[in-house]
Each structure stands twice: as C-alpha cells, then as structure tokens.
Amino acid sequence: MLIIGGYIGVVVLTWFAPEYIIGVAYDSGGVTTSTITVPLVTALGVGLASTIKGRNPMLDGFGLIAFASLLPMMFVMVYGMVMV
C-alpha cells in the first residue's frame, strides 16, 4: 500500500514540478537500479526484515528497492519546486 501511495505521489509531484527538472528526477530514480545497488539494497532489506519479529525476510525484504527508486525522484522534484 505504501508503494502505491509513493507512485501516486510521484505522479502528483510531476504535475507541479518545473518541466526542466522532471527528466533529472526520473533519471535519479533509475540510478538506484544498477548492477551494484540492487543486490546491496536487497540484502539490506532482507537483513532488516529478518531482524524484525513476525516478518518473513523473503516476502517483506524486497519492497525496499521500490522505495530506493521512489524517494530520489520525489526529493529532486520537491527540490526543483522549492529552489525556483
């Protein structure tokens, strides 16, 4: 549910962000999907989920990659709106 809300937030921010910053914002989200960062973030998510009681690391550890892609996009768009 949080991931869906995050993607809705990205779409809403896209409407309000300056046009020249949108491409940079979407590219900043793509930076998190390289061959080094995906295994690293996956390992961090699985490790974090395994330390929390009641969580299955194989089911709950993989949503962190989506948040790692969402947050840079959102922050760059907000930065573009604030600094204009």
Side-chain angles (χ1 to χ4, degrees):
M1 205 57 168
L2 291 173
I3 295 173
I4 294 171
Y7 280 110
I8 290 171
V10 167
V11 171
V12 169
L13 283 173
T14 302
W15 282 95
F16 296 108
E19 188 174 317
Y20 60 86
I21 202 78
I22 293 172
V24 175
Y26 277 87
D27 282 343
S28 71
V31 168
T32 61
T33 58
S34 72
T35 56
I36 294 174
T37 54
V38 168
L40 177 68
V41 172
T42 302
L44 288 172
V46 169
L48 182 65
S50 66
T51 60
I52 300 172
K53 292 182 181 180
R55 294 289 185 176
N56 184 354
M58 299 317 268
L59 295 177
D60 298 325
F62 295 101
L64 197 60
I65 296 172
F67 283 119
S69 296
L70 283 174
L71 293 177
M73 289 190 282
M74 296 174 90
F75 284 128
V76 169
M77 283 190 267
V78 170
Y79 179 77
M81 289 187 287
V82 170
M83 296 309 285
V84 170

